[in-house]
Amino acid sequence: MRSAYWVVERVINLNMHSIVDVLVDGYLNNEASCKVLDLLLWLYTKKLDVERCLWVFDKMVKNGFLPDVKNCNRILRILRDKGLVGKAREVYELMGQFGIKPTIVTYNTMLDSFGKEGNVQQAFNLLLEMQGNGCRPNDVTFNTLINGLSKKGEFEEARGLIANALNKGFKVSAYTYNSLICEYCRRGMLVEALGLKEEMKMRGALPTVLTYNAFMHGYCKQGRVSSARQWIPIMLKKNLMLDIVSYNILIYGYCLLGDTREALILLSELKKRNLKPSAVTYNTIMDGFSRHGDLESARQFKDKMIKDGISPDIFTYTILINGSYRTGNIWLAKKFYHEILHKGLQLDRIAYTSCIAGELKLGDLYAAFKLQEEMLAKEFPADVITYNVFVDGICKLGDLEEACELLQKMIQDGIVPDHVTYTSIIHAHLEIGYLRKARELFGEMLSKGLSPTVVTYTVLIHAHAGEGRLELAFIYFSEMMENGILPNVITYNALINGLCKFIKMDEAYRWFSQMQSNGILPNKYTYTIMINGNCDLGNWEEALRLYKEMLDRGIQPDSCTHSALFKHLRKDYMSFAVQELESIILDGREKAEAIT
DNA sequence: GTAGGGTTAG
């Protein structure tokens, strides 16, 4: 058989794929043909050549040759990994039709496919079918189902299955817990994740690098890289080494905070440890640069990536296109778009949506619709996000009527508007002063069972406070708290803005300190609002005190801050004011220098 | 297991 393997491998390498037809036509005796065909199939699965796998599989079953179930399982695994669940289902059905008896591996692979697709119901149906066929679930079956449930956020059910598995005497492992911990961390539910880690320990399941990466990811997402790093010594103590994913996660954490310098330090550190940066590493850093206004460094990083032997992928280009639109450089965005096509890369759903959002931001509705047609032609029908991009884009272009029509079309297309859709529409109504209508829409949103987020509440608070409807703004604020949604700095700014505008300075100061006792630091917007309010009242001293305070806290003022400070000054005071500011700034710098 | 698309403030 070894020599047969060698021969078939040569045949494939010589591109003599038509050997399949020869074999199927029965030139050899059936048993020999079948063996060789199986060998071919195996080699195609090793090459991850889905097309040819399916082609041989199909030829075989339709000509009375039954492929080895192990090869069928290999095909199912490839289809699962490529997300081709529909094809996997077809193969599975053909297996049944032609009498290839599924093994536990077949079932587990299919269950995993369904779970990855988010179709837990179908997974459970298959579980019943499997048991009906006398195949008993094993620990992998349990872990797979737990994985599927976790992905959907059905945590209670997932935990129930763990209990179930334990009851049945199965051993639980990191595979059982990692998926749940990952999902908890991804959703910011760190307390739950930590609790599960304790349970894991209690049951004797050892955490893996993946477990720790999940935690680091959870902390990084919340902007807490230092907390994330505290896991490193714990890992090392257990003889677990940081892998490239760990580094990518930490790099991502620093990039989120805008600290690309620290991200680059990690990049050189991982290289020193003989880890190879991946496309993810480069893309993450590029996105960090781009989001913090340094598109030029992002572009240079793309060249660096190529020099280091990694080809830019669709992520890379999406990041660069987003950055180009962000800086209003439509020409550059187009250049990257054409580069994608030129390199033979395919735009995916996200790349298209980015382009559409960019065109809308620049006001080119026509270009946006054209891209959507192109998307449709490539069999990416609009999803809820595409619609949201259009709805919000059209709102921002000032055509609320058209946006509402689009909302109707969306529903007709069978896409259910979500909290973002409603927040955009509500925001648009608020912007033009239709507060009542906005409140109605908010009610409609609630009645559809959609959960408002901090953004929804913040736009409502902002508009109501800004129009002097402070009592309503406070109602929204407390409603939000009651629903367990935490206000952020923008929410507080919206409230403080209304209070300042309607000269309730005492209350504004109360909220200003309350936000800080709740652990939310004022930013340059907060200070600008407060400075503006004081300047309007002629409290020049207080405005300057605030200005100094923000500098002391390392918060950079911008032109809005300055125009708020200057707005009531007559021209002849201007030069005095500039002097005064300069002395503050100089004073601040000296302090900073004294520290460093 | 890690990276890219949608909603908020002066």
Side-chain angles (χ1 to χ4, degrees):
Chain A
M1 212 54 197
R2 249 195 97 69
S3 54
Y5 178 94
W6 185 82
V7 171
V8 178
E9 193 173 32
R10 291 277 298 166
V11 163
I12 289 180
N13 288 342
L14 291 169
N15 270 325
M16 292 165 62
H17 303 286
S18 52
I19 183 153
V20 171
D21 291 313
V22 178
L23 291 166
V24 164
D25 284 343
Y27 275 78
L28 293 173
N29 70 54
N30 275 1
E31 207 191 319
S33 286
C34 197
K35 282 219 166 98
V36 179
L37 283 163
D38 251 329
L39 205 47
L40 261 165
L41 203 48
W42 185 35
L43 285 162
Y44 285 138
T45 60
K46 277 178 90 166
K47 287 183 184 291
L48 305 178
D49 188 342
V50 202
E51 301 267 308
R52 292 214 168 87
C53 279
L54 292 174
W55 173 64
V56 178
F57 175 84
D58 208 58
K59 286 238 171 198
M60 283 180 78
V61 293
K62 292 194 173 146
N63 288 284
F65 298 98
L66 292 189
D68 185 351
V69 66
K70 282 189 185 145
N71 280 332
C72 299
N73 293 343
R74 288 182 184 116
I75 298 174
L76 292 177
R77 209 148 41 216
I78 297 172
L79 292 170
R80 175 199 63 189
D81 292 343
K82 299 201 181 225
L84 300 166
V85 189
K87 282 263 176 288
R89 198 179 285 119
E90 282 173 31
V91 170
Y92 174 76
E93 268 156 23
L94 283 172
M95 284 171 71
Q97 218 173 303
F98 288 96
I100 304 167
K101 198 167 178 290
T103 64
I104 182 84
V105 178
T106 319
Y107 288 118
N108 287 344
T109 310
M110 286 306 290
L111 288 174
D112 203 21
S113 265
F114 292 146
K116 285 214 161 66
E117 194 195 26
N119 202 337
V120 188
Q121 190 49 52
Q122 191 147 20
F124 277 99
N125 290 343
L126 185 63
L127 178 70
L128 287 178
E129 185 178 321
M130 154 181 180
Q131 288 169 312
N133 290 340
C135 186
R136 293 164 62 92
N138 61 11
D139 55 333
V140 179
T141 318
F142 272 101
N143 292 342
T144 307
L145 289 169
I146 290 165
N147 197 348
L149 287 167
S150 305
K151 279 226 162 58
K152 291 220 90 179
E154 294 179 13
F155 297 118
E156 286 320 306
E157 293 80 352
R159 298 181 82 135
L161 267 190
I162 295 183
N164 201 330
L166 284 165
N167 270 338
K168 292 208 161 68
F170 287 113
K171 225 175 73 189
V172 287
S173 65
Y175 288 104
T176 320
Y177 286 98
N178 279 347
S179 56
L180 250 169
I181 290 180
C182 280
E183 205 50 44
Y184 274 139
C185 287
R186 182 173 299 138
R187 296 179 187 221
M189 301 161 79
L190 296 176
V191 178
E192 288 81 353
L194 287 166
L196 214 54
K197 192 176 159 290
E198 283 311 303
E199 185 183 318
M200 197 171 164
K201 207 161 122 190
M202 212 174 68
R203 309 254 183 239
L206 288 178
T208 60
V209 176
L210 212 136
T211 321
Y212 290 106
N213 284 348
F215 280 107
M216 292 202 283
H217 189 218
Y219 283 99
C220 283
K221 271 189 91 161
Q222 295 186 359
R224 298 159 68 185
V225 202
S226 322
S227 308
R229 288 192 89 140
Q230 287 173 1
W231 289 96
I232 301 176
I234 302 174
M235 282 174 77
L236 296 178
K237 227 165 55 194
K238 305 208 161 154
N239 264 331
L240 294 172
M241 293 295 171
L242 297 191
D243 65 4
I244 183 63
V245 176
S246 325
Y247 275 100
N248 287 345
I249 287 166
L250 290 169
I251 286 173
Y252 166 75
Y254 282 115
C255 286
L256 263 191
L257 297 176
D259 194 347
T260 40
R261 221 177 61 102
E262 201 62 44
L264 292 177
I265 293 173
L266 281 175
L267 175 64
S268 55
E269 189 182 310
L270 76 88
K271 284 181 178 164
K272 261 191 235 132
R273 299 208 173 158
N274 278 329
L275 288 169
K276 275 242 160 297
S278 62
V280 178
T281 322
Y282 289 98
N283 290 340
T284 307
I285 296 173
M286 286 171 63
D287 197 44
F289 276 128
S290 168
R291 276 183 206 274
H292 290 86
D294 190 357
L295 185 58
E296 198 36 50
S297 296
R299 288 179 66 181
Q300 284 166 14
F301 232 74
K302 174 175 155 252
D303 299 329
K304 196 169 154 46
M305 172 177 188
I306 297 169
K307 243 191 255 145
D308 290 351
I310 295 177
S311 336
D313 57 15
I314 194 63
F315 280 78
T316 319
Y317 282 105
T318 309
I319 288 161
L320 290 168
I321 286 176
N322 278 327
S324 307
Y325 280 120
R326 206 177 286 130
T327 53
N329 194 337
I330 182 168
W331 176 84
L332 195 58
K334 292 253 153 76
K335 187 179 108 79
F336 287 129
Y337 173 87
H338 288 114
E339 212 172 298
I340 294 175
L341 302 181
H342 185 73
K343 292 211 169 175
L345 283 169
Q346 293 291 324
L347 277 95
D348 62 10
R349 184 185 284 287
I350 295 181
Y352 272 117
T353 313
S354 300
C355 291
I356 291 173
E359 291 296 341
L360 285 170
K361 223 169 267 163
L362 301 176
D364 196 340
L365 200 53
Y366 175 75
F369 277 122
K370 235 182 102 182
L371 279 163
Q372 201 225 328
E373 271 172 36
E374 197 178 309
M375 207 174 155
L376 198 60
K378 294 224 179 130
E379 294 188 39
F380 296 121
D383 65 1
V384 64
I385 297 186
T386 327
Y387 269 108
N388 286 347
V389 166
F390 271 107
V391 167
D392 189 61
I394 292 169
C395 282
K396 295 228 163 76
L397 293 173
D399 199 342
L400 192 49
E401 217 171 295
E402 167 100 23
C404 291
E405 276 172 32
L406 198 62
L407 185 69
Q408 292 312 314
K409 190 177 172 313
M410 173 174 183
I411 297 166
Q412 277 167 24
D413 280 4
I415 310 272
V416 183
D418 66 2
H419 60 280
V420 177
T421 327
Y422 270 98
T423 303
S424 290
I425 295 269
I426 289 169
H427 182 229
H429 282 87
L430 293 167
E431 284 284 282
I432 53 171
Y434 292 178
L435 303 197
R436 234 175 77 93
K437 181 71 189 159
R439 288 197 296 273
E440 277 171 30
L441 283 162
F442 182 63
E444 186 180 311
M445 169 179 180
L446 296 179
S447 71
K448 293 199 174 176
L450 293 170
S451 304
T453 65
V454 60
V455 181
T456 324
Y457 278 112
T458 301
V459 299
L460 284 162
I461 290 168
H462 175 246
H464 284 88
E467 294 289 323
R469 307 288 302 270
L470 291 161
E471 72 298 345
L472 273 171
F474 287 126
I475 289 175
Y476 283 124
F477 192 90
S478 32
E479 192 180 304
M480 173 175 144
M481 298 288 271
E482 277 161 27
N483 291 332
I485 299 164
L486 290 179
N488 60 24
V489 61
I490 306 177
T491 323
Y492 281 107
N493 288 348
L495 259 183
I496 294 171
N497 182 48
L499 289 166
C500 284
K501 199 164 163 191
F502 291 92
I503 327 185
K504 300 197 187 288
M505 295 308 284
D506 290 347
E507 241 182 296
Y509 275 92
R510 264 217 307 282
W511 285 94
F512 184 69
S513 61
Q514 200 195 308
M515 68 188 277
Q516 296 177 72
S517 15
N518 287 340
I520 292 172
L521 288 179
N523 60 14
K524 71 175 176 186
Y525 292 84
T526 327
Y527 276 104
T528 304
I529 293 164
M530 300 282 288
I531 288 170
N532 185 54
N534 277 295
C535 284
D536 281 348
L537 294 172
N539 300 334
W540 170 243
E541 293 278 327
E542 174 58 9
L544 269 184
R545 190 194 66 78
L546 285 165
Y547 185 75
K548 196 164 173 333
E549 186 177 297
M550 77 185 280
L551 289 180
D552 286 345
R553 290 183 160 188
I555 300 166
Q556 282 301 313
D558 64 12
S559 64
C560 283
T561 324
H562 291 135
S563 55
L565 262 178
F566 287 145
K567 67 196 260 197
H568 294 297
L569 286 186
R570 286 196 312 252
K571 277 227 159 53
D572 44 330
Y573 283 123
M574 217 42 139
S575 65
F576 167 73
V578 169
Q579 272 173 23
E580 186 95 2
L581 279 178
E582 276 177 353
S583 81
I584 287 174
I585 292 166
L586 277 177
D587 187 35
R589 284 215 183 118
E590 277 160 16
K591 258 194 196 156
E593 276 160 17
I595 293 166
T596 53

